[in-house]
Amino acid sequence: MQENHYLKVKDMIKVTNGTLLQGNEEEVCENFSRDTRTIERGEMYLGIKGESINGGIYWKEALDKGAKGVIVQDTEISEEERKAYPEKIIIQVKNVVEAMGKMAKYKRSLYHIPFIAITGSVGKTSTKDMVASVMNRKYDTLKTQGNYNNQIGLPLTILSLKEQQAAVVEMGMNHFGEISYLTNIAKPDVAVITNIGTAHIGILGSRENILKAKMEILEGLSPNGTVVINKDNDLLQDWYEKNKNSYHIITYGIEQERDYMAKEIESYEDRSEYVLYRKGEKVGKIVVPVGGNHFIQNSLCAIAVGEIFEIPMEKIQEGIQSFELTKKRMDITKKENGTTIINDCYNANLDSMRAAIEYLGKIKDKRKIAVLGDMLELGDYAKELHRKVGDIVAKENIDTLVTVGTEAKEIAREAQKQGMQEENIKMCESNEEAAGYLKRILKENDVILFKASNAMHFDEIIHNL
């Protein structure tokens, strides 16, 4: 790896227009951290200023724990205080988050490697995990950790680049302009849009506006770049018809004809199997090691991306077989008594609720319990979308429905209205009440799905069982 792939202090000062209070301009900075609780020796501390607290006030703690230096804003550090840390780097900038973006953009410019960016209303993280696993069959691949997909997380991911040969990054948003900012840092060669749903509809006002915000990803796409879309999504299909001559677009899906298509699908509790067709030609059988149609969609996307970079099909299949889900995304564990817990409670919107409930509904010969909580950030659409979830629950023949939260009561009411028996529905006011109820009713071999927005803290229920 060439040395100029690392950031030097002088590079950081130049791109951020920061002030070097002390330190060696030629010093190389490889690792960055925003948290003094987990900071490791040799890392640069990023003192991010939040709404309630300025991380810059912890600069001494960071240096005392072995940080190589600190980048801070709006933090008074006297010459006398600096004398206690003569070998350390101290940089003042106007805004640490903006400085991170500028450093990440500069660092990205030093790398001529495949960059894949993924966005969408649902499935970003699991698609990222599968695409990265496929890319890893040919390239040492960096991927976004967890859901580090915002103006802090994406720069941190890129700043962690070292000798990797490819990168798969996730981009999230809840306002216009956010993905525009991220894509102009990452400059992807491939832009993936998984779907356009209802996440953040309370903020953006309509699915059409969500489409517009997601499509900002194309602003940073390289001139010869490729767009990969799930053509089963109605708005993406419309977008394709209007833009198919403006971009190089690859489509995937399980409905009608797509560039990459799954047919003859066989669904099981722990996996799916299907026959892959590429542009109408039969390719062969694919096994996905997680159940649910949404993971079939993810695998089709991963195959499309893998073939863009000329990864052999047998290697692509290995990548799909060996991928590991980020925690809280369809995280399935089996207890000693045979009970199966499906923890899919990182976040929730109508599309991810539907996918999880449909997966639960397909499980045979077991009692199926859905524990569902509020979906947040839906604004005026909240009641309508929670009712739609209730309709899905009733249609999927779920045995027992437990809801937690104010809005989730609409799920319960609609499920009953659509024919679910009242004795099979329990509305709870708190996680504690839900845990107590589940403890009373659980039997051997039950399958329980937990799904809600992360702020509902459903982990509390799971840990209580």
Side-chain angles (χ1 to χ4, degrees):
M1 176 60 66
Q2 297 174 14
E3 189 183 342
N4 67 0
H5 279 180
Y6 293 127
L7 290 179
K8 288 186 175 181
V9 171
K10 63 182 180 184
D11 301 323
M12 291 156 56
I13 296 297
K14 183 178 179 181
V15 298
T16 65
N17 200 25
T19 302
L20 181 61
L21 297 183
Q22 72 175 43
N24 179 1
E25 282 196 344
E26 295 298 322
E27 188 88 36
V28 170
C29 299
E30 295 183 49
N31 302 303
F32 296 81
S33 171
R34 55 174 292 198
D35 193 338
T36 55
R37 293 168 299 183
T38 56
I39 198 162
E40 295 184 3
R41 185 166 295 279
E43 291 182 332
M44 284 292 292
Y45 172 63
L46 300 160
I48 294 170
K49 185 176 183 179
E51 288 181 16
S52 58
I53 197 159
N54 182 359
I57 65 174
Y58 301 113
W59 69 273
K60 283 185 183 178
E61 183 182 339
L63 295 180
D64 289 340
K65 286 186 171 182
K68 176 176 285 192
V70 297
I71 302 176
V72 296
Q73 73 181 80
D74 304 330
T75 304
E76 290 293 327
I77 302 177
S78 69
E79 192 174 340
E80 197 63 33
E81 287 176 307
R82 297 202 303 265
K83 283 179 182 175
Y85 305 96
E87 304 298 318
K88 302 290 186 177
I89 300 156
I90 301 177
I91 299 172
Q92 282 270 16
V93 294
K94 187 177 179 182
N95 183 298
V96 174
V97 173
E98 287 178 10
M100 289 167 62
K102 289 171 180 174
M103 292 189 300
K105 186 172 183 176
Y106 173 72
K107 184 157 190 177
R108 164 68 182 105
S109 73
L110 303 176
Y111 284 78
H112 303 289
I113 62 175
F115 248 78
I116 298 112
I118 297 172
T119 193
S121 293
V122 63
K124 291 185 293 295
T125 302
S126 53
T127 303
K128 170 210 68 185
D129 290 334
M130 201 175 286
V131 169
S133 183
V134 166
M135 291 295 289
N136 226 7
R137 298 299 113 182
K138 180 175 179 180
Y139 306 95
D140 179 6
T141 302
L142 174 75
K143 72 171 182 175
T144 300
Q145 293 304 305
N147 70 318
Y148 258 36
N149 61 19
N150 62 10
Q151 62 180 347
I152 293 171
L154 181 128
L156 274 173
T157 298
I158 293 176
L159 287 171
S160 71
L161 258 175
K162 291 187 177 62
E163 295 169 10
Q164 290 93 347
Q165 302 160 312
V168 181
V169 296
E170 183 181 332
M171 295 181 183
M173 66 89 213
N174 53 25
H175 291 90
F176 285 118
E178 289 180 84
I179 288 182
S180 174
Y181 175 77
L182 299 176
T183 191
N184 279 294
I185 292 171
K187 297 289 185 185
D189 303 294
V190 175
V192 173
I193 303 97
T194 61
N195 50 47
I196 307 298
T198 56
H200 314 299
I201 198 168
I203 298 168
L204 287 162
S206 68
R207 288 182 68 225
E208 288 71 23
N209 278 347
I210 294 169
L211 172 69
K212 190 176 174 184
K214 296 293 185 187
M215 284 304 172
E216 290 173 2
I217 196 172
L218 304 180
E219 293 172 21
L221 185 67
S222 62
N224 298 317
T226 302
V227 186
V228 179
I229 62 167
N230 174 1
K231 206 177 166 194
D232 288 350
N233 184 267
D234 57 342
L235 291 187
L236 288 177
Q237 182 157 357
D238 291 346
W239 179 87
Y240 171 82
E241 294 303 331
K242 293 171 187 168
N243 293 276
K244 59 187 175 185
N245 297 321
S246 303
Y247 297 94
H248 177 229
I249 305 170
I250 294 174
T251 64
Y252 66 90
I254 58 179
E255 301 167 14
Q256 302 169 21
E257 288 305 312
R258 312 288 184 240
D259 294 329
Y260 289 85
M261 190 159 184
K263 295 184 179 179
E264 301 168 44
I265 296 169
E266 295 179 39
S267 300
Y268 304 93
E269 184 180 338
D270 61 347
R271 71 189 190 283
S272 295
E273 299 176 4
Y274 64 87
V275 177
L276 172 67
Y277 284 76
R278 184 199 304 111
K279 293 187 182 295
E281 295 290 319
K282 184 175 179 179
V283 178
K285 191 172 184 178
I286 302 292
V287 179
V288 184
V290 188
N293 277 359
H294 47 309
F295 287 104
I296 293 175
Q297 302 268 20
N298 294 353
S299 70
L300 290 167
C301 176
I303 292 165
V305 173
E307 291 211 322
I308 290 169
F309 295 102
E310 299 180 347
I311 299 174
M313 185 54 68
E314 63 269 21
K315 292 292 182 185
I316 289 174
Q317 290 196 60
E318 285 175 19
I320 292 169
Q321 283 277 300
S322 63
F323 99 105
E324 291 183 3
L325 270 172
T326 293
K327 290 296 181 187
K328 298 190 194 177
R329 265 77 169 189
M330 293 297 284
D331 188 8
I332 301 172
T333 54
K334 294 199 175 184
K335 301 290 188 183
E336 288 179 7
N337 66 352
T339 302
T340 301
I341 290 178
I342 305 168
N343 180 353
D344 196 24
C345 57
Y346 179 76
N347 230 330
N349 53 56
L350 177 61
D351 306 278
S352 63
M353 279 278 196
R354 177 185 284 112
I357 295 163
E358 287 178 351
Y359 168 73
L360 181 65
K362 284 186 171 69
I363 295 173
K364 295 180 175 67
D365 305 322
K366 293 187 178 183
R367 188 170 66 149
K368 296 166 282 193
I369 301 171
V371 185
L372 307 178
D374 290 353
M375 302 181 290
L376 305 178
E377 295 184 349
L378 297 179
D380 294 340
Y381 295 85
K383 281 187 166 46
E384 174 194 346
L385 293 173
H386 282 85
R387 285 175 192 145
K388 285 186 176 179
V389 173
D391 184 47
I392 295 163
V393 170
K395 285 177 178 167
E396 287 298 324
N397 296 313
I398 305 304
D399 297 300
T400 301
L401 170 65
V402 180
T403 66
V404 184
T406 306
E407 300 292 354
K409 289 176 181 174
E410 295 294 336
I411 299 174
R413 292 180 185 125
E414 188 64 24
Q416 186 177 346
K417 186 177 172 184
Q418 297 302 326
M420 194 170 186
Q421 296 300 309
E422 185 179 359
E423 61 266 25
N424 296 328
I425 301 171
K426 174 68 174 176
M427 288 187 273
C428 298
E429 299 295 332
S430 67
N431 290 342
E432 188 179 10
E433 183 186 355
Y437 176 73
L438 288 168
K439 282 178 182 175
R440 291 195 298 275
I441 68 161
L442 280 182
K443 299 175 184 174
E444 285 186 13
N445 299 317
D446 285 349
V447 181
I448 318 158
L449 166 69
F450 291 89
K451 184 77 177 160
S453 283
N454 199 32
M456 296 300 289
H457 302 296
F458 266 22
D459 276 356
E460 294 173 355
I461 308 176
I462 296 168
H463 291 151
N464 251 316
L465 294 181

